[in-house]
Amino acid sequence: ASDQASLASAQFAVQNSETGLSTKISQSYISTRATVVNDTYPFFSNPLLSNSMLNISSVAFNNSVLESQVENDFSGAKASLATWQTDVAGYSTSTDIVASANKSITYLNQIDAYFNDLAILFNSYAVGTNSTGVSAVSSDKDIAASDQSSIESTISSITSAIQSYQSAQLSFTQSQANFNSQTAPPDAATLAQAEASLTASKASYQ
């Protein structure tokens, strides 16, 4: 009975951690999309188009290579979010939740690279052409740094949730093995040994 209770508890732990990981992925997508859209769409002209260009009033950039890289990163971040949304919408009970979580981390790493380049651009190569621009650069630096930190925290959170799920799976496998060993019928060698012991016991009473 104790082994059966342990097995049931371990199975519940797997289900609970799987639900937690699935929820973590969905919530991470929602929060990450909000971060990209709300905080950085205003940095671009025509942010919904594929060829979005950085365009911040009264702010100039003196590194055209990095500026172009950020624009490419932005397109990549939008593509990652679109694919991630499709993945989340397609979740079912047959979904490999660990594979989905690792794909989410891949998307997040791509978005993290975008925020990293954005932070470098604002910190080292953005110049306000007037007081409004100077204020904008200062604010945008903080936004990029905060958003990058948030993305990296999300990556760590999903990684921890994966580890929790895998740990629960391992515990369930061990509990199942213990339960099976207690309930499995004796094998031929065990039966032969028991029969020999019984024969010897009978002989001692003769």
Side-chain angles (χ1 to χ4, degrees):
S2 177
D3 288 327
Q4 188 171 14
S6 296
L7 180 61
S9 177
Q11 186 175 25
F12 175 78
V14 170
Q15 294 169 340
N16 191 47
S17 59
E18 182 175 8
T19 299
L21 180 53
S22 177
T23 300
K24 178 74 68 178
I25 293 169
S26 299
Q27 291 178 341
S28 296
Y29 161 72
I30 293 169
S31 63
T32 300
R33 184 182 184 282
T35 295
V36 172
V37 171
N38 296 337
D39 287 355
T40 72
Y41 270 38
F43 297 155
F44 296 86
S45 59
N46 301 315
L48 297 177
L49 301 182
S50 58
N51 59 341
S52 304
M53 307 291 288
L54 277 165
N55 183 18
I56 303 174
S57 178
S58 303
V59 174
F61 301 104
N62 55 23
N63 185 328
S64 59
V65 173
L66 184 56
E67 184 178 356
S68 295
Q69 182 59 52
V70 167
E71 291 167 349
N72 289 333
D73 288 344
F74 180 58
S75 294
K78 290 187 293 183
S80 293
L81 286 170
T83 307
W84 195 2
Q85 181 183 31
T86 300
D87 290 349
V88 170
Y91 285 162
S92 69
T93 54
S94 62
T95 298
D96 183 337
I97 195 65
V98 172
S100 294
N102 283 323
K103 285 176 68 177
S104 297
I105 290 174
T106 297
Y107 302 142
L108 284 163
N109 280 327
Q110 293 168 344
I111 295 167
D112 182 52
Y114 161 55
F115 280 116
N116 181 66
D117 287 342
L118 192 62
I120 294 172
L121 184 66
F122 283 137
N123 277 288
S124 302
Y125 302 105
V127 178
T129 58
N130 56 32
S131 59
T132 299
V134 171
S135 177
V137 169
S138 177
S139 174
D140 294 345
K141 286 179 182 179
D142 292 340
I143 289 172
S146 175
D147 288 348
Q148 184 179 14
S149 177
S150 176
I151 295 299
E152 291 174 355
S153 177
T154 300
I155 292 172
S156 296
S157 180
I158 293 179
T159 300
S160 295
I162 292 173
Q163 293 170 345
S164 295
Y165 173 66
Q166 292 176 326
S167 177
Q169 279 190 312
L170 179 59
S171 294
F172 173 71
T173 299
Q174 293 171 338
S175 295
Q176 192 170 41
N178 291 337
F179 177 76
N180 289 342
S181 68
Q182 295 298 321
T183 58
D187 55 26
T190 302
L191 286 171
Q193 183 179 8
E195 185 175 351
S197 298
L198 179 59
T199 300
S201 177
K202 286 181 179 179
S204 68
Y205 283 100
Q206 291 178 350

